[in-house]
């Protein structure tokens, strides 16, 4: 069977549930490739008429908002011990440097760290749980969560779908190449964010020894 014919057999409901589920779990705090799935599904919608981009976008937005909200509640109940447990279970995603980077973002941006976190792979899995751990007022979290979910998920679908429709004829002939390109793009953005997080952690470690003498002097002066 030609790949185009096979793609036409993929039930639309399965695509909607996959996108909403993966994005929801990622927002909840489970490290999953939500951005890759969303971009790939949107490119698929651009070439397959039976997949409605509006429904796809709505499922993505719903998954993002609901997942973040559940993550917030879990973080509020679990507190710091939850982050420590996650750090032991998933050191590559919830290690001390990752948590420190996320906490600095929250200290700097407050509730808008939840909004900005939507667009950053590292913060996307932290935003909900960490906001709960830091006891951010829920109404502030909810505003940033809803706005971030709409702009990130809805905006991604709108942009990628528009680009896909412009190149529809090319994608129909080489749809598998389009999907591969989407996956590579998503992986690339994730890797870039991981590298930036490691560099930030290394810079913090290098700065700590220099800061300790000053801290000691301050304590002594007191």
């Amino acid at each position: 069977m030609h790949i185009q014919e096979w793609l036409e057999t993929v039930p639309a409901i399965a695509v909607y549930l996959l996108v909403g589920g993966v994005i929801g779990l990622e927002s909840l705090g489970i490290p999953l490739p939500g951005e890759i799935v969303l971009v790939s599904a949107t490119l698929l919608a651009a070439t397959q008429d039976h997949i409605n981009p509006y429904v796809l976008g709505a499922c993505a937005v719903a998954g993002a908002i609901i997942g973040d909200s559940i993550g917030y509640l879990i973080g509020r109940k679990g507190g710091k011990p939850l982050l420590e447990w996650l750090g032991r279970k998933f050191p590559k995603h919830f290690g001390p440097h990752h948590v420190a980077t996320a906490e600095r973002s929250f200290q700097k941006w407050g509730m808008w760290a939840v909004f900005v976190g939507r667009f950053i792979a590292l913060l996307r899995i932290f935003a909900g749980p960490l906001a709960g751990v830091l006891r951010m007022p829920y109404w502030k979290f909810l505003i940033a969560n809803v706005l971030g979910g709409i702009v990130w998920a809805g905006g991604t679908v709108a942009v990628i779908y528009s680009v896909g429709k412009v190149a529809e004829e090319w994608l129909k002939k080489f749809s598998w190449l389009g999907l591969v390109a989407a996956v590579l793009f998503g992986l690339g953005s994730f890797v870039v964010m991981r590298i930036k997080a490691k560099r930030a952690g290394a810079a913090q470690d290098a700065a700590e020894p220099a800061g300790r003498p000053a801290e000691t002097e301050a304590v002594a002066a007191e």
Side-chain angles (χ1 to χ4, degrees):
M1 180 184 293
H2 190 275
I3 188 169
Q4 186 68 24
E5 296 174 353
W6 177 80
L7 290 174
E8 291 173 355
T9 66
V10 177
I13 186 65
V15 177
Y16 302 147
L17 291 176
L18 176 66
V19 169
V22 170
I23 290 177
L25 290 173
E26 182 190 38
S27 302
L28 188 152
I30 299 175
L32 291 174
E35 191 170 50
I36 296 174
V37 171
L38 181 58
V39 171
S40 301
T42 305
L43 282 175
L44 184 61
T47 62
Q48 304 298 318
D49 294 335
H50 67 292
I51 299 177
N52 189 311
Y54 295 102
V55 177
L56 180 66
C59 289
V61 170
I65 294 173
I66 294 171
D68 245 13
S69 296
I70 295 175
Y72 174 89
L73 294 175
I74 293 175
R76 196 170 180 90
K77 294 290 184 182
K80 287 285 186 180
L82 173 64
L83 291 180
E84 294 171 0
W85 178 81
L86 289 171
R88 292 192 299 270
K89 293 292 184 180
F90 306 100
K92 292 184 178 180
H93 298 90
F94 291 91
H97 291 319
H98 300 90
V99 174
T101 299
E103 286 184 334
R104 284 196 301 272
S105 298
F106 271 76
Q107 291 169 0
K108 181 177 181 180
W109 299 103
M111 63 180 282
W112 296 112
V114 177
F115 177 86
V116 175
R118 270 287 150 211
F119 303 87
I120 303 174
L122 174 64
L123 286 179
R124 196 152 49 239
I125 61 175
F126 271 110
L130 190 57
V133 169
L134 298 178
R135 300 279 176 174
M136 177 182 292
Y138 184 70
W139 68 270
K140 290 186 176 181
F141 169 80
L142 184 61
I143 292 174
N145 179 25
V146 171
L147 290 177
I150 292 173
V151 175
W152 175 72
T156 298
V157 171
V159 171
I160 299 299
Y161 183 79
S162 298
V163 172
K165 292 306 287 184
V166 169
E168 185 174 8
E169 291 304 316
W170 184 86
L171 286 173
K172 282 184 177 180
K173 294 178 181 178
F174 307 102
S175 50
W176 63 275
L177 288 176
L179 294 176
V180 169
V183 171
L184 291 177
F185 174 79
L187 284 173
S189 63
F190 179 75
V191 170
V192 168
M193 290 312 306
R194 288 290 300 277
I195 292 174
K196 287 184 177 179
K198 287 183 179 179
R199 287 179 178 173
Q204 182 186 16
D205 286 344
E208 281 178 359
R212 282 172 188 160
E215 291 174 4
T216 304
E217 291 175 6
V219 172
E222 291 176 359

